[in-house]
Amino acid sequence: MELTRIHPLVYLIYYFIMIVFAFIIRDPYFLLSFLILILVLISLQGISSELKNIMKLFLPLSILIIILNPLLNKQGVHKIYLFKNFFITYEAFAFGVLMSLALLIVILIFSSYNRSVTYQDMLYIFSKRLPVISMVIVMALRFVPLINSRTIEIQKLNKLKSNGVEINLENSNDDNNLEEFDSNISNIESSSNSKFLAKLNSSKKFHKIREESKVIGKIMAVTVSWSLEESMFTAKSMKARGYNAYNRTSYLSYDYSLADIFFLLLIIFTVSIVTAGFMQGYGIINIYPSFDFSFSDLPLNIYYFAFIIFLLPLIYLEIKERLLWH
């Protein structure tokens, strides 16, 4: 979003409130609306390709939450007997589903935040007063997408190498470690006379798994060594330039505009209404001891519409930018 500039601090406040709402809201209608609008925002921001990688991480975790919560938590009135005296409660299952949905929304919010606010913007906000903490926050927010992009790049290079293109992916230390690993494996295999190991060694599936494991290990080793090497160069460069030695200035300069003021007023207005709705029980349902929600009770009230309006500004700005470009 370049044509309509929003101050990074306004972005930070907005996304922080979104994360708080994701943890507070327990109404399925509110959460589903939240999920749909954040997916629309991500698609407009051009990061929908990351959704596939996000789902690879989220699906196993959500399934684990949905399974473990009813097994470990027996609170609730409505019991579902699986066999004999073993049962789970409908409330615990519903709570696990809502927890996993809220977790997905939080992950998507962070993905959208990384697209809207760069690490230079984060340094601009915090570096003057909290230089060390701001650097740690920036490195933490930047670590996961950076590792992900580098892993994809190394996988592409490894495919080119397997197709006959000579590409040096790893350094000499990695080669020595792999050769030592292969020699250790061969020594273990030669010293064992077990029939099981002989049968295992003759299995094509075992060899395929072994080769894939070696490739994955090699990719992980290259990715980690690459990241550590660049981190060392970055630390030396920052030390040479006197980071945190004196009051730091930034080449970025942001001034509050009329759009920022309007955005803040809209946030204050909608959040006040939604908070008043929370205090009256709208958007927050009782799960324990009894699940008191019905899908026939549509949330067509001022609090729900204020919540929708709160989620629309960034979508409006993205659509506005697309229309201006075209």
Side-chain angles (χ1 to χ4, degrees), residues 208-238:
K208 183 178 179 180
I209 294 174
R210 178 183 170 183
E211 292 299 323
E212 290 179 354
S213 301
K214 289 173 65 176
V215 171
I216 293 173
K218 187 183 296 184
I219 291 174
M220 291 299 296
V222 175
T223 304
V224 173
S225 61
W226 186 8
S227 301
L228 291 176
E229 184 180 6
E230 184 174 333
S231 300
M232 182 181 64
F233 290 144
T234 303
K236 289 183 177 180
S237 177
M238 291 174 62

Side-chain angles (χ1 to χ4, degrees), residues 1 29 83 95 97 112 114 154 171 174 205 218 264 286:
M1 190 184 303
Y29 280 118
F83 54 88
F95 186 71
V97 173
S112 176
N114 288 330
I154 294 171
N171 54 27
D174 293 330
K205 187 176 181 180
K218 187 183 296 184
L264 283 173
N286 294 323

